[in-house]
Amino acid sequence: KILAGGDTSAPTCTTCHGNHGATPPGVTSVANVCGTCHVFFVQLFQKSPHGAVFEKMGLPGCVQCHSNHEIVKPSDEWVGVGKKSVCITCHVEGDAGYASAKKISDDLAQLSQAQSKAENILTTAERKGMEVSAAHLDLTKANEALVKARVAVHTLDPVEIGKLTDPGMKSSLEAYQAGVAALDESNMRRKGLGLSLIFIVMAVAGLYFKIREIESKRQS
């Protein structure tokens, strides 16, 4: 699809399979060709608990989760113990891998939800005319943490991923609290404006009746 869209740098058959029967340079097996472009991901996976196990069993790391030709954009649902998870193809409830997958999935989901919740309340406050640019800037830290955590999934280590999601949750909470404070201030301003208008109306009405009273006395 990328190539069809006009991006000539997109991978083609020869990118992975080579030509004339030769695999790309430095690749012992076409199953490992992903690492020629996605070097950092492969490095994380090789250091993960799965790295040595997969090598010992002769299993290709990338293909097990991403397949080969039907490569699609991954989502958070791939990780965890849900119906769309790839983890449950090997792990069952009760084993350590299952528990790790669930923890990773829960952390990603919580951060994603917290970030979205904070973004929504800041947007609402902004539409009400409140200044929340600093809070928006803080929220970018949560977004960066989520992106990095999704990359760190290749470590398959809940502890390493938690080192990223925990600060992200903190940034999301701070941004959300800033949004709540901004909305509270907006409500206070509205109430203050309402009271001011009431007093102004009362003052104008009092002045009107006073003028009428003075005119009435003059006429009498």
Side-chain angles (χ1 to χ4, degrees):
K1 289 183 179 180
I2 300 175
L3 183 63
D7 187 348
T8 55
S9 66
T12 62
C13 299
T14 55
T15 305
C16 298
H17 293 276
N19 49 26
H20 303 298
T23 55
V27 178
T28 56
S29 168
V30 74
N32 300 322
V33 75
C34 307
T36 59
C37 293
H38 304 283
V39 180
F40 184 57
F41 295 90
V42 172
Q43 289 175 344
L44 292 177
F45 180 79
Q46 288 174 342
K47 295 177 181 178
S48 76
H50 286 56
V53 175
F54 274 38
E55 184 177 0
K56 185 177 180 180
M57 296 176 67
L59 297 175
C62 303
V63 174
Q64 290 300 117
C65 296
H66 294 274
S67 76
N68 46 19
H69 297 114
E70 285 189 303
I71 299 172
V72 296
K73 185 178 180 179
S75 73
D76 291 347
E77 293 179 314
W78 285 20
V79 186
V81 295
K83 293 181 179 179
K84 296 183 179 181
S85 166
V86 296
C87 306
I88 58 174
T89 58
C90 297
H91 297 288
V92 295
E93 189 171 3
D95 69 26
Y98 187 96
S100 293
K102 187 176 187 308
K103 180 67 169 69
I104 293 171
S105 175
D106 289 347
D107 285 351
L108 290 176
Q110 288 172 7
L111 177 53
S112 180
Q113 291 167 8
Q115 181 200 11
S116 179
K117 186 177 178 181
E119 181 65 39
N120 288 338
I121 197 170
L122 289 177
T123 300
T124 301
E126 199 168 36
R127 287 173 179 170
K128 289 181 179 292
M130 303 305 295
E131 171 56 45
V132 290
S133 58
H136 267 301
L137 185 61
D138 286 339
L139 194 58
T140 60
K141 298 177 183 178
N143 181 56
E144 291 173 1
L146 182 58
V147 172
K148 291 179 180 179
R150 285 169 173 161
V151 172
V153 163
H154 293 85
T155 66
L156 305 166
D157 185 347
V159 175
E160 290 299 318
I161 293 167
K163 291 178 181 178
L164 296 167
T165 55
D166 288 349
M169 286 294 294
K170 183 175 181 294
S171 296
S172 295
L173 179 59
E174 290 174 349
Y176 179 79
Q177 290 173 338
V180 170
L183 288 181
D184 287 344
E185 184 180 348
S186 175
N187 291 332
M188 287 295 292
R189 289 182 182 182
R190 290 179 61 187
K191 291 178 181 178
L193 179 60
L195 289 173
S196 298
L197 289 174
I198 291 173
F199 287 129
I200 291 172
V201 170
M202 290 175 64
V204 171
L207 182 59
Y208 171 77
F209 287 118
K210 188 64 177 178
I211 292 173
R212 288 291 300 272
E213 181 183 351
I214 294 172
E215 289 179 348
S216 177
K217 287 180 179 180
R218 285 180 178 177
Q219 291 175 359
S220 61

